[in-house]
Amino acid sequence: VTGRLIFAANWKMHLGPDGARRFFDAFLPAYAPRADREVWFFPPAVSLPAAAAAIHGRADIRAGAQDVHWERSGAFTGEVSAELAREAGATLALVGHSERRQVFGETDDMAARKLRSILAAGLTPLLCVGETLAERQNSQTIAVVQRQLGVALAGLEPSALGRVVLAYEPVWAIGTGHNATPAEAGQVHREIRTLMAAHGGPGRARVLYGGSVRRANVRELLAEPELDGVLVGGASLDAAEWAAIVQSSVTPR
Ligand code: PGA
């Protein structure tokens, strides 16, 4: 119903240009395109040109920025805009990843501005939302996701909303080895879709799950029809492991 499954790799602060080239030298021969899926890579900004060059000609594989600044250009030392990332080969950009929010103090409002700049640059945004362990324990999961999405999506036209891909990434599941169960993720995904539709977006927005996804649990997670794909950190850094993950057999939807 929703189109192709998305397997997204968030390399975080790993794999410079040489490492990225070596990764693709090993990964590309191991992965032939499949009609039912796309593979997305989010390398560090310095590795975007190497990634873009490596995947050139593969319509099923895309690369993007892990973060952008909300202005197009200017006196913002150390920052990279969506426009500059596009020039370096990005067609995608992550926004609102929990590490940006937690480690770098990014607010809902900053994520909202970044989302607008990504859309304006013509890139596909992958907007991340998710609750902390304390928030889940206090039954605030839905309220947190509602707030994060509400600020990010406020005032966007339906045509822009239709371009936004979402990722549910519970903070307690990221890098902990403790993934959400398919049912736990599915419940929040349904809520995210309802919120997206309530903002005037598509009836069935694309929602990925992220947080300790690996080879051993990806099939079980993707058996849950609410998941349109996965966003993977640690397990995406090894070409053989990642090739196994993106070739997982999944129930057709
Ligand atoms: P992880 O990270 O797969 O290492 O848990 C996921 C993410 O942060 O996107």
Side-chain angles (χ1 to χ4, degrees), residues 28 46 49 68 75 90 113 121 127 144 149 176 184 188 202 218 233 235 245:
L28 291 173
V46 293
V68 297
R113 293 161 78 178
L127 171 64
V144 167
L149 278 181
T176 58
E184 283 170 335
V188 181
V218 65
I245 289 173

Side-chain angles (χ1 to χ4, degrees), residues 30-31 41 53 55 72 82 89 91 181 190 193 198 215 230 236 242:
Y31 179 63
F41 288 94
I55 66 177
R72 280 173 68 104
T91 65
T181 65
R190 262 190 298 281
R193 290 206 170 87
R215 192 175 179 161
V230 286
S236 73
W242 183 238

Side-chain angles (χ1 to χ4, degrees), residues 221-248:
L221 283 160
L222 288 175
E224 164 58 59
E226 291 288 336
L227 272 64
D228 297 323
V230 286
L231 176 55
V232 184
S236 73
L237 292 171
D238 178 79
E241 175 83 3
W242 183 238
I245 289 173
V246 299
Q247 293 180 94
S248 308

Side-chain angles (χ1 to χ4, degrees), residues 115-116 127 148-156 161 164 195-196 199:
L115 175 62
R116 277 150 189 75
L127 171 64
Q148 291 172 333
L149 278 181
V151 176
L153 303 180
L156 289 179
L161 291 169
V164 178
L195 290 165
M196 184 59 140
H199 277 89

Side-chain angles (χ1 to χ4, degrees), residues 5 7 181-183 185-186 190 204 209 213 217-230 248-253:
L5 282 169
F7 291 79
T181 65
R190 262 190 298 281
R204 198 184 185 291
Y209 165 77
V213 175
N217 60 19
V218 65
R219 275 185 64 179
E220 191 201 356
L221 283 160
L222 288 175
E224 164 58 59
E226 291 288 336
L227 272 64
D228 297 323
V230 286
S248 308
S249 54
V250 289
T251 8
R253 5 215 104 199

Side-chain angles (χ1 to χ4, degrees), residues 10 12 97-99 169 173-177 210-214 231-235:
N10 174 13
K12 309 192 180 186
H97 188 276
S98 69
E99 284 149 22
E169 292 212 307
I174 295 178
T176 58
S212 294
V213 175
R214 50 208 60 205
L231 176 55
V232 184

